[in-house]
């Protein structure tokens, strides 16, 4: 440390750099190595270390001449520190803690005593190598300007030192000593911002350029203390220390706008984030909470806080929302102690921000703004708010009033008045203020953007000092400058309307003069014009040129002996206006005889220089003038070079006074001139350079090849050249000529007819040597295309063109002012410009690099000094080469005044900017003379017409005096009626013409009115209507409502539709509709099927008509039913099996517990009595309660619609109340008229006072403000005409269009009142007709009243008194009733106001939530999309798994089918063998033999190699053991030949069955292979599903965590809940506590519910205990029932077995028995039997028919026999009679004829035998059927002998 102190003592110059230090030789090596000061090895040993990870390192930056000149000094890091790599971090980036797995690494901290070396940091001039130019060619002496438009460009270090930025310099101004010291920018890119440490011990300088740094200097030693790197990309715009001074916040400019928080003492970045996407003006720490910051800028304000999140420390920003307030740029703001922020606005009001929203907008009473202009700064000072505005006022406001302010109406405005105010000045724009204490008294220093620094006293006491202007400067860009040709004076002018004279030896401002317009051009008159050097010519933006003389007022005789005399004064000598636009250039001719002025109006004016400047004339030029230069004295002829902005240059001969004819115009048309129209050749130059570079590259390559060949030959080797492929050359740069010509910036003569040009735009980067053509034959200059004959490239000027060029007096140095504010000096040894002379130069950045382009650069008359001015408002003076020659005796001499100057009258100035120019005045004068002559002629004609008119009137008078019969008619005076008709026609035409001329104006004003109405009236649904009470001061006003858009209603309908639940009636309705649809679909189908069935039935009827066919069909139907019954039995059995399996699967184990019960118990354990708040860390947001931005928007829209509807309804009630008041006033008018008519009949003593008639206030009918009549329109027209006459120029006709009366014509107010008045009169007459008549009768008979009349009058008087009282009472009732209605409605509106305020609070809360949700929405969508993608992926995989399972099940069923086929095949084989087959063993081996088969691949279509048959076990085959036994005998027998005595058909059938078996086995193998593949795929996919499920769980966890974080952020928002005192039940010791943080806002309903819940839970607990007891008893009962059921099941099983033994003789499988189906073979046989039976039935039928026929015949025979028997009976009777007669004769005769006949007996016996035979056949068939049912075979009945023919017959 001692060594460091010694080093500081030895080299004090390093501690305090000043501008006056002479330049030294710059040691590049020392600069590259990076010097350090203030530390030694001992000091390095004291660096404190702590265990942290080792930082990344990179090489120290070294200086080299960059493209941006000049060479800048590198900034070395401190010893023990290495530069960290500048990595851009994203928004809301945090400082992550480094891992602690390397404890052995140490991070070195910077010592408190460490300092950098200023000489190693400050930038240096750039000097080309080997040029011999000294680095101290120019040395800065003084800075005259001040960049007053830069934000916060004024800082106070102590009571006498100010700090501000001037280009690339930092100026420290000692106000007492008037001395300046300077600090250079380290980067050379300029300085962006300065700020001072709260302790005033340090100040920070934020620079500009690529990767700029912030350098912390110590004060007052001015040594660099710390360097902060990597905070932004291009430039710093603002910086601020926190209140304790430990942190520094900085914000960058475009493109990154990076907000960075620094630990500046350790040169570390703590936090960083992108501040905004537009310009940020300011950043500050909160005074009360240093973890909160605020930034503001273009159209925004943002509130930041350092938040500890689960990912680390973050900068979280909340953008301020303007809401209903218009968006504004915010320059000034201040943080309040309670976290609120109050900011300014562009229109001058103050905005109070709370929670990111505007709480209230503050204004002054009468809604006047707080400032008449933007509020640029706000300061919280000693409990008061101080504001500084652009209106020049400093106002002080009450802090408490502002802090507790709140809006009182919908406008959001709150009126208040300031406590104190100070007007600094009228033309003052305060942009920044700083406070410091001087000898214990507070002093404020203010920056005035109009070019001043003020000292203010804001104590507002009796001894308060007036504002003191310390310094004045030009405001903004300095337009022009020039130096005196005889002394050390310079003159400047700017758009701030001032012209200033500076003494750059004494470094002071001598004098200034101000005008009405800003100056744009200036030139100092040469010696030949004014030998004393006291005359300057200044051009202004209105086209005026003023000649001003400068003199020393001490030389005037009048003021001799006076004190306090200025060193110099200026006086206007002459003012003239040659141009109508900005004067761009002024130039005196070399002999001083002519002054040329050029303007943007494309003219150049010449004046003869005499004691009074006389105009010579002007010429037109092809473009706006940029510069003028007269040819030097070395040229033979005096020529003027005119340079235009659009690329034109022309040369004209200087005209002389008197050579031109200026009677009618000053335009010179025949003046010789030559043109040059610049044509761009830059692209061709670049093309030629590229061609030359490529050619050079080829030559170098060829040279290298030849050298290589030569070396190979020298080494004795043969050079074998490999053929090279020709390289593809890129195309040459295309030729390009810009569409818009490059602007000419400056130029100068090189020789007669030749000149140099510097251009901007595309053609920058070169100096072009041009010449005018000697034979200029082309007349039109626009079509010219001229090219320069010589081009000199200028290094590093492609984007940085030369703006100004000047030469020293000796012409040895050429000074160039660059666009980036740099100064270049080129030494000209040969005094001619060339490539060789311009390759060596000296360059130094002086002015601001962004906007400080040099406007003027001049050397003094003796080449000792150089003066520059820039667009940044700065003026610098330098010494050239020899600063030691500046001695005290050098001083500027102010020219002495002319003789008798004080006696001369002041020249008349041109103050009107619309005044005529010289040419326009002449043209106007000529025009006025012509117009005067025409007017004189018109007056002469008018006088003649007036005389004729008087004569005609005299004749008419004489005609009237004649007798009537002698008088001429009026028509007889007309000589020709066609004349009057023609006059009338012309008048009508003129009227039409005027209407046509005014049609556009009429339509314009109509459209304007419509636009105004649509903009301000149509969108307003309800204006503010204030209804006043009639008898009290109560009033009620409507809500001012804007029409709500349709989208809000659509959103509300969507939300209602989304929330609508489907009721059971809707479901029933849907089901009914679905049923109807299904019926509609099925009815036609059913119809078709019925028709088909009918057709089929008809077919069947036609096909089978016999009973046998029907019997066959019945049998088939019976078989089908049997099969269906068997299938149903099988399905029922399978269903029963499945049910049993499911039941057994679901059978719980002994220790089984219901999962639902477990979950409910778990939920009860976790949540019973524990209501999780949303603020809980483990709170899980239910799915239906999750909120996003879209849902919140719908909520907001619904709330706005509800608010609008409620306000709308209230407005309708108020409007109806207003209409009621109008009706009541009309009724009261009628009643008052009637009352007056009644009182007219009463004695005055009996008259009661008439109640006053209520009137409508203007506030109650605001719509009348938009009604107008002719009088109002005429008045408005008159006012507009007056304004137009005041603003129009002399002689110009007004183009103001008259308002037509057709604009929404409305009747006048008087016309509107007339019908109302008439209606009231009519109503009065109708209501009081009797009353109005009676007084007249009374008056007529008043003369002699009789007794009866008196009685009648008395009655009438009593009646009138009663009517009077009744009417007054009626009027009072109307008033009282209306007032009661108004008070009632007012009470309802107050309630609605309260509701609306609560709704507004809810709207604000929801809006804050919406903003928060929008911030979270993007990341949440990403997480949700991730979860959804994983869910869809999992579902897809699960679907594939299910598909694989289904495929495997299908394959298993296929395998089962194949196995069934195999079993059926073996069964068929066994059936074919029959019983006791001798070849059964052989045929079985043939069937089971495995043979080689050729497989065909379906995909390839070609045969594979044969596979040898192997012994394989078939688990599925029922003949496994037989295959194994026969495997060894495969080679013994021959299966190709059928054995002897073996049935060949059976052998062939066996071979076919073997082929089928092999096919089945191959199919089984394929199916098993497919199943194996499916299983592998299933297993692989199952693993993937597990991975996806794990990812899904992770993603859902991340989403849930993010939802929880979002909920926590939402919980942080403040929600306002208005409470009344009786609602507060949170008491501490019987009193309301001061802090309600521990209180909980709860609704009474919820509280009652919780209290009831306690009782419910107690009852529920009791019920659960009872339920538990019942469950235990039920459990015991179920165990007993189970035992009994098991015993019963066992008993039933035994009974079932006994029944089976009794029925079947053994225990059979009932399921197999139930599923027994029919045998197909048996059924075929049965069908055949039925067919045979059918045939037999047909045969029987035939025989029956024959029998019937025979029976018929038999019947006939029997009839015949009967008849015969009857006959025989008769005969018998006769015979009996005869026998009886014969008995007597023969007693024993006729015995043989007794008994039955023999034939009948035989037939009977035959039929009996036939029936017996058929019964036997039926029995045989039954036995056969029974046998066929039991076994697969057929037993034929024994042959029966055919019936005997005798029997049949």
């Amino acid at each position: 440390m001692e060594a460091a102190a010694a080093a500081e003592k030895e080299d004090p110059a390093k501690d305090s750099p000043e501008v006056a230090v002479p330049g030294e030789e710059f040691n590049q090596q020392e600069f590259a190595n990076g010097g350090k000061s203030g530390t030694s090895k001992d000091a390095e040993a004291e660096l404190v270390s702590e265990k942290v990870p080792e930082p990344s390192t990179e090489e120290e930056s070294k200086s080299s001449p960059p493209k941006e000149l000049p060479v800048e000094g590198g900034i070395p890091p401190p010893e023990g520190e290495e530069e960290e790599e500048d990595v851009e971090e994203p928004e809301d980036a945090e400082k992550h803690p480094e891992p602690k797995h390397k404890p052995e690494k140490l991070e070195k901290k910077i010592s408190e005593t460490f300092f950098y070396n200023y000489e190693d940091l400050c930038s240096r001039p750039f000097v080309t190598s080997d040029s011999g130019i000294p680095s101290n060619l120019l040395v800065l002496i003084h800075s005259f300007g001040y960049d007053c438009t830069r934000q916060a460009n004024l800082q106070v270090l102590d009571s006498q030192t100010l700090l501000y930025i001037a280009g690339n310099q930092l100026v420290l101004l000692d106000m007492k000593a008037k001395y300046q010291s300077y600090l250079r920018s380290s980067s050379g890119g300029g300085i962006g911002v300065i700020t001072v440490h709260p302790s005033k011990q340090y100040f920070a300088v934020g620079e500009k350029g690529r990767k700029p740094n912030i350098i912390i200097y110590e004060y007052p030693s001015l040594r660099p203390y710390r360097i902060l790197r990597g905070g932004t990309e291009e430039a710093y715009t603002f910086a601020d220390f926190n209140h304790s001074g430990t942190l520094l916040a900085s914000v960058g400019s475009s493109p990154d706008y990076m907000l960075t928080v620094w630990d500046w003492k350790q040169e570390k970045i703590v936090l960083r984030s992108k501040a905004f996407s537009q310009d940020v003006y300011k950043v500050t720490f909160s005074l009360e909470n240093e973890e909160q910051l605020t930034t503001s800028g273009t159209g925004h304000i943002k509130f930041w806080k350092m938040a500890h999140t689960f990912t680390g420390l973050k900068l979280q920003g909340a953008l301020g929302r303007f809401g209903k307030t218009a968006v504004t740029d915010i320059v000034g703001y201040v943080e309040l102690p309670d976290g609120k922020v109050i900011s300014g606005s562009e229109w001058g009001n103050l905005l109070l921000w709370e929670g990111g929203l505007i709480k209230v907008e503050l204004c002054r009473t009468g809604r006047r703004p707080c400032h008449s202009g933007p509020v640029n700064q706000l300061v919280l000072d000693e409990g008061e708010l101080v504001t500084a505005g652009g209106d020049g006022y400093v106002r002080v406001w009450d802090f408490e009033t502002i802090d507790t302010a709140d809006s009182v109406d919908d406008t959001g405005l709150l009126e208040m008045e300031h406590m104190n105010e100070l007007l600094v000045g009228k033309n003052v724009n305060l942009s920044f203020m700083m406070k410091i204490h001087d000898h214990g008294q507070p002093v404020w220093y203010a920056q005035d953007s109009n070019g001043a620094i003020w000292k203010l006293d804001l104590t507002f006491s009796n001894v308060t000092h007036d504002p003191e202007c310390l310094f004045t400067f030009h405001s903004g860009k300095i337009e022009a400058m020039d130096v005196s040709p005889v002394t050390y004076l310079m003159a400047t002018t700017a758009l701030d309307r001032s012209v200033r004279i500076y003494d750059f030896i004494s470094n002071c401002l001598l004098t200034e003069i101000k005008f009405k317009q800003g100056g744009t051009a200036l030139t100092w008159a040469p010696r030949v014009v004014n030998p004393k050097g006291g005359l300057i010519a200044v051009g202004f933006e209105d086209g005026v040129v003023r000649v001003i003389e400068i003199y020393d007022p001490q030389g005037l005789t009048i003021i001799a002996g006076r004190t306090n005399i200025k060193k110099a004064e200026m006086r206007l000598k002459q003012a003239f206006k040659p141009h109508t636009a900005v004067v761009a250039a002024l130039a005196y001719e070399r002999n001083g005889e002519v002054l040329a002025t050029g303007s943007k109006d494309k003219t150049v004016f010449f004046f003869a220089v005499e004691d009074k400047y006389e105009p010579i004339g002007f010429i037109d030029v092809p473009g706006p003038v940029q510069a003028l230069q007269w040819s030097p004295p070395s040229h033979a002829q005096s020529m003027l070079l005119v340079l235009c902005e659009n690329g034109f240059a022309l040369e004209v001969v200087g005209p002389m006074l008197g050579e031109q004819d200026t009677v009618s115009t000053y335009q010179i048309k025949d003046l010789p001139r030559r043109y040059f129209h610049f044509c761009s050749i830059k692209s061709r130059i670049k093309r030629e350079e590229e061609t030359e570079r490529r050619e050079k590259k080829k030559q170098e390559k060829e040279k290298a090849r030849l050298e290589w060949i030569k070396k190979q030959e020298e080494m004795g080797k043969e050079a074998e050249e490999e053929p090279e492929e020709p390289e593809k050359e890129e195309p040459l740069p295309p030729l390009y000529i810009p569409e818009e010509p490059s602007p000419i910036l400056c130029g100068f003569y090189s020789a007669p007819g030749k000149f140099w040009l510097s251009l901007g735009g595309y053609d920058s980067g070169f100096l072009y040597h041009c010449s005018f053509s000697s034979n200029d034959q082309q007349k039109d200059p626009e079509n010219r295309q001229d090219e320069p004959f010589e081009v000199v490239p200028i290094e590093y000027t492609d984007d940085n063109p030369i703006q100004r060029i000047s030469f020293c007096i000796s012409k040895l140095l050429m000074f160039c002012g660059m666009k980036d504010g740099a100064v270049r000096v080129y030494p000209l040894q040969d005094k001619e410009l060339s490539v060789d002379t311009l390759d060596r130069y000296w360059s130094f950045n002086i002015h601001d690099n962004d906007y400080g382009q040099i406007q003027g650069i001049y050397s003094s008359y003796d080449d000792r000094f150089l003066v520059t001015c820039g667009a940044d408002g700065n003026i610098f003076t330098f010494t050239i080469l020899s600063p030691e020659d500046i001695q005290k005796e050098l001083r500027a001499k102010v020219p002495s005044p002319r003789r008798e100057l004080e006696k001369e009258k002041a020249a008349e100035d041109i103050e009107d900017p619309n005044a005529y120019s010289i040419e326009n005045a002449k043209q106007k004068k000529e025009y006025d003379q012509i117009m005067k002559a025409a007017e004189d002629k018109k007056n002469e004609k008018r006088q003649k017409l007036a005389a004729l008119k008087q004569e005609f009137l005299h004749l008419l008078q004489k005609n009237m005096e004649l007798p009537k019969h002698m008088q001429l008619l009026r028509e007889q005076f007309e000589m020709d009626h066609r004349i009057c008709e023609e006059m009338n026609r012309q008048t009508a035409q003129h009227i039409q013409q005027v209407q046509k001329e005014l049609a556009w104006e009429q339509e314009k004003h109509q459209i304007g009115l419509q636009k105004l109405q649509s903009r301000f009236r149509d969108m307003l649904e309800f204006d503010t209507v204030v209804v006043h009470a009639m008898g009290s001061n109560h009033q009620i006003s409507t809500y001012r409502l804007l029409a709500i858009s349709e989208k809000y209603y659509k959103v509300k309908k969507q939300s209602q539709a989304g929330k609508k639940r489907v009721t059971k009636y809707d479901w029933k309705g849907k089901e009914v509709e679905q049923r109807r649809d299904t019926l509609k679909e099925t009815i036609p189908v059913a119809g078709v099927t019925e028709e088909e069935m009918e057709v089929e039935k008809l077919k069947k009827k036609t096909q089978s008509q016999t009973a046998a066919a029907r019997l066959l069909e019945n049998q088939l139907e019976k078989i089908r039913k049997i099969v269906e019954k068997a299938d149903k039995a099988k399905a029922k059995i399978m269903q029963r099996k499945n049910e049993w399996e499911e039941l057994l699967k679901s059978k719980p184990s002994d220790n089984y517990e219901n999962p639902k019960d477990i979950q409910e118990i778990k939920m009860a354990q976790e949540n019973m009595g524990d209501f999780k708040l949303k603020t809980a860390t483990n709170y899980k947001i239910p799915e239906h309660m999750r909120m996003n931005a879209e849902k919140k928007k719908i909520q907001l829209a619904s709330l706005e619609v509800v608010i609008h509807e409620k306000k709308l309804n209230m407005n309708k009630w108020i409007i109806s109340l207003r209409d009621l008041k109008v009706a009541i006033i009309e009724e009261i008018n009628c009643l008052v008229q009637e009352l007056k008519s009644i009182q007219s009949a009463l004695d005055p003593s009996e008259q009661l006072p008439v109640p006053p008639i209520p009137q409508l206030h203007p506030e109650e009918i605001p719509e009348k403000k938009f009604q107008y009549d002719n009088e109002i329109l005429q008045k408005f027209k008159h006012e507009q005409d007056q304004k137009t006459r005041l603003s129009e120029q002399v002689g110009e006709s007004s183009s103001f269009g008259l308002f037509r009366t057709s604009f929404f014509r409305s009747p006048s107010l008087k016309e509107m009142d007339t019908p109302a008045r008439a209606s009231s009169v009519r109503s009065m007459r109708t209501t009081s007709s009797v009353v109005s008549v009676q007084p007249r009768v009374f008056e007529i008979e008043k003369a002699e009243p009789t007794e009866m009349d008196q009685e009648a009058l008395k009655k009438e008087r009593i009646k009138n008194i009663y009517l009077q009282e009744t009417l007054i009472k009626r009027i009072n009732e109307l008033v009282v009733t209306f007032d009661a209605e108004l008070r009632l409605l007012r009470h309802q509106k107050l309630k609605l106001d309260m509701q609306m305020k609560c709704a507004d609070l809810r709207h604000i809360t929801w809006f804050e939530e919406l903003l928060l949700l929008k911030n979270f929405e993007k990341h949440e969508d990403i997480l949700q999309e991730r979860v959804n993608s994983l869910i869809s992926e999992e579902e897809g995989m699960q679907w594939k798994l299910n598909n694989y399972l289904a495929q495997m099940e299908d394959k298993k069923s296929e395998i089962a089918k194949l196995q069934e086929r195999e079993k059926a095949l073996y069964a068929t084989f066994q059936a074919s063998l029959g019983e006791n087959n001798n070849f059964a063993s052989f045929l079985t081996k043939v069937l089971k033999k495995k043979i080689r088969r050729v497989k065909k691949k379906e995909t390839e279509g070609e045969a594979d190699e044969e596979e040898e048959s192997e012994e394989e076990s078939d688990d599925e085959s029922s003949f496994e053991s037989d295959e194994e036994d026969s495997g060894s005998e495969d080679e013994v027998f021959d299966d190709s030949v059928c054995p002897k005595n073996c049935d060949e058909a059976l052998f062939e059938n066996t071979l076919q069955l073997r082929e089928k078996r092999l096919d089945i086995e191959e199919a089984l193998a394929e199916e098993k292979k497919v199943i194996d593949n499916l299983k592998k795929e299933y297993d692989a996919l199952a693993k993937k599903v597990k991975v996806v499920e794990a990812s899904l769980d992770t993603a859902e966890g991340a989403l849930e965590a993010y939802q929880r974080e979002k909920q926590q952020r939402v919980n942080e928002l403040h929600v306002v809940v208005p409470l009344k005192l009786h609602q507060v039940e949170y008491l501490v010791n019987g009193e309301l506590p001061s802090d309600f943080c521990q209180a909980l806002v709860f609704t009474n309903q919820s509280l009652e519910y919780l209290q009831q819940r306690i009782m419910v839970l107690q009852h529920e607990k009791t019920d659960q205990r009872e339920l538990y007891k019942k469950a235990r008893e039920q459990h015991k009962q179920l165990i007993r029932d189970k035992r009994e059921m098991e015993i019963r099941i066992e008993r039933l099983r035994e009974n079932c077995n006994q029944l089976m033994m009794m029925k079947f003789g053994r225990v059979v499988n009932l399921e197999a028995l139930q599923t027994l189906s029919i045998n197909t073979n048996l059924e075929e046989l049965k069908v055949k039997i039925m067919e045979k039976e059918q045939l037999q039935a047909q045969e029987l039928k035939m025989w029956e028919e024959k029998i019937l026929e025979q029976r018929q015949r038999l019947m006939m025979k029997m009839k015949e026999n009967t008849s015969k028997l009857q006959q025989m009976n008769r005969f018998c009777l006769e015979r009996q009679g005869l026998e009886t007669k014969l008995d007597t004769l023969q007693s024993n005769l006729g015995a043989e004829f007794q008994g039955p006949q023999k034939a009948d007996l035989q037939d009977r016996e035959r039929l009996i035998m036939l029936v017996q035979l058929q019964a036997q056949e039926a029995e045989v068939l039954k036995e056969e059927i029974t046998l066929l049912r039991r076994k697969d075979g057929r037993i034929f009945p024994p042959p029966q002998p055919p019936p005997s023919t005798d029997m049949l017959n």
Side-chain angles (χ1 to χ4, degrees), residues 538-752:
V538 185
F540 292 83
E541 57 183 341
D542 58 350
V544 176
V545 176
R546 293 179 173 88
V547 180
I548 304 171
E549 54 182 340
I550 306 154
Y551 60 92
D552 184 2
Q554 295 178 357
L556 297 175
T557 57
I558 296 177
I559 61 171
R562 288 189 180 182
T563 59
N564 195 16
I565 299 174
K566 294 183 179 180
K567 296 180 181 179
E569 286 187 0
M570 284 187 288
R571 183 173 182 269
L572 179 65
K573 183 178 181 182
Q574 186 179 353
F576 43 87
K577 188 174 182 179
H579 303 286
T580 58
V582 175
V583 179
L586 302 169
Y588 280 96
E589 192 257 344
R590 60 187 180 183
N591 298 323
E593 298 177 354
V594 178
L595 171 66
T597 65
S599 172
K600 302 297 182 182
D601 62 358
K602 301 182 181 181
T603 60
V604 175
F605 219 108
F606 300 94
F607 292 88
V609 179
E610 298 176 354
D611 187 38
K612 184 177 182 181
Y613 288 54
E614 296 293 337
I616 299 175
F618 72 93
I619 61 171
D620 291 326
V621 294
V625 176
Q626 175 66 25
L628 300 174
Q629 187 174 21
W630 290 92
S631 58
S634 59
H635 293 194
Q637 190 178 4
S638 178
M639 307 291 289
L640 177 65
L641 177 65
V642 182
L643 304 179
C644 301
E645 288 184 1
N646 56 353
F648 281 94
L650 67 153
E651 187 181 49
V652 296
V653 181
M656 301 303 294
L657 184 64
E659 295 180 356
Q660 309 297 329
D661 183 11
T662 59
V663 176
S664 59
T665 178
Y666 283 107
Q667 185 174 6
I668 306 174
K669 298 182 179 180
D670 55 351
L671 190 67
R673 65 193 76 179
R674 292 192 292 177
Y675 292 96
F676 182 90
H677 189 190
F678 183 84
C679 178
S680 176
I681 61 172
K682 184 175 181 178
S683 60
R684 192 171 68 194
I685 295 171
K686 295 292 185 183
R687 191 185 185 100
E688 292 173 356
E689 289 177 354
E690 181 64 19
T691 304
E692 183 179 353
R693 185 188 66 80
R694 294 183 182 182
E695 188 64 30
K696 186 176 180 181
K697 185 178 179 181
K698 289 181 181 179
Q699 291 177 1
E700 291 177 354
K701 191 174 181 180
E702 181 66 21
K703 185 178 179 181
R705 188 183 67 83
L706 293 176
E707 290 179 356
W708 180 79
I709 292 173
K710 186 176 180 181
K711 288 182 180 179
Q712 293 293 325
E713 291 176 352
E714 290 176 356
M715 295 172 63
K717 297 179 181 180
E718 293 183 1
E720 296 181 359
E721 298 185 16
E722 296 180 358
E724 297 182 357
E725 296 182 0
E727 297 181 357
K728 292 184 180 180
E729 292 187 356
E730 296 182 359
L732 293 172
L735 295 177
Y736 170 74
I737 296 178
E739 296 181 1
E740 190 172 333
S742 300
I744 296 177
L745 301 178
C746 59
F748 55 91
Y749 269 112
S750 61

Side-chain angles (χ1 to χ4, degrees), residues 1086-1195:
V1088 173
T1089 55
E1090 288 178 358
E1091 291 177 1
E1092 291 179 355
M1093 290 172 65
E1094 289 178 359
V1095 172
E1096 289 179 359
K1097 286 180 180 179
L1098 290 174
K1099 288 181 179 180
K1100 289 180 180 179
K1101 286 180 181 180
T1102 56
Q1103 290 177 0
S1104 60
Q1105 297 290 338
T1106 62
R1110 287 196 297 273
L1111 182 61
L1112 181 61
E1113 290 175 3
N1114 292 336
Q1115 186 66 23
L1116 292 174
E1117 183 68 21
K1118 185 178 179 181
I1119 294 169
R1120 186 182 62 79
K1121 288 182 178 179
I1122 293 171
V1123 173
E1124 288 181 355
K1125 184 178 180 181
D1127 293 339
K1128 288 180 180 179
K1130 286 181 181 179
K1132 189 175 182 181
I1133 291 169
M1134 293 301 296
Q1135 182 180 0
R1136 192 182 297 120
K1137 284 183 179 180
N1138 295 332
E1139 290 176 355
W1140 273 105
E1141 289 177 358
E1142 292 178 359
L1143 183 61
L1144 292 174
K1145 286 180 182 179
S1146 62
K1147 179 181 179 181
S1149 61
D1150 296 336
N1151 55 355
Y1152 171 78
E1153 293 183 0
N1154 191 353
K1156 185 177 180 182
D1157 295 340
I1158 295 173
Q1159 186 67 24
E1160 289 179 354
I1161 291 170
K1162 184 179 179 181
M1163 288 293 294
Q1165 290 175 352
E1166 292 178 353
N1167 302 318
M1168 184 63 69
D1170 180 17
F1171 294 94
K1172 293 188 182 298
L1173 297 177
K1174 292 183 179 180
T1175 55
T1177 56
N1178 57 349
Y1179 174 73
K1180 186 175 181 180
I1181 306 172
E1183 189 68 28
H1184 67 281
M1185 292 181 64
R1186 292 187 178 179
M1187 185 62 64
N1188 55 16
E1190 191 64 30
K1191 292 181 180 178
K1192 189 57 67 177
K1193 285 181 182 177
I1194 294 174
Q1195 278 189 353

